[in-house]
Amino acid sequence: MNLSARRSLAAVAGLGVSQIISYGTLYYSFSILAPAMGEEFARSREWLFAAFSGTLLIGGIISPWSGRWADRFGAGRVMTLGSLAAACLCLPAHSHRIGAHSRRRW
């Protein structure tokens, strides 16, 4: 096995392990966190799982476009943009929680 083949094998193995960890932390943990999230947001579990399913559907619908963008601009740039967008979408929720915590102290 030459060096190029070893690097390819290592890359595929590394990506496989990271994908397994990703699914474990993102997708499978949702079922554990859903009851507490439902209580905190005053939503039923069914509503939360419907919303989660909707996000998976949206991800499936936009995947052809994101794949084309990854081919055109590079996967690293597209994934970085997606991570930044997700972080920006989390900011309002985080700032709301900070405000709620500061109001409780007064």
Side-chain angles (χ1 to χ4, degrees), residues 62 65-91:
I62 67 168
W65 289 290
S66 62
R68 281 187 216 111
W69 292 345
D71 289 341
R72 183 177 300 156
F73 303 112
R77 288 182 179 163
V78 173
M79 293 177 71
T80 300
L81 180 65
S83 296
L84 289 173
C88 289
L89 290 172
C90 289
L91 285 175

Side-chain angles (χ1 to χ4, degrees), residues 26-36 45 49 52:
L26 296 175
Y27 293 108
Y28 300 133
S29 65
F30 188 80
S31 62
I32 296 169
L33 299 172
R45 279 192 237 173
F49 281 101
F52 183 65

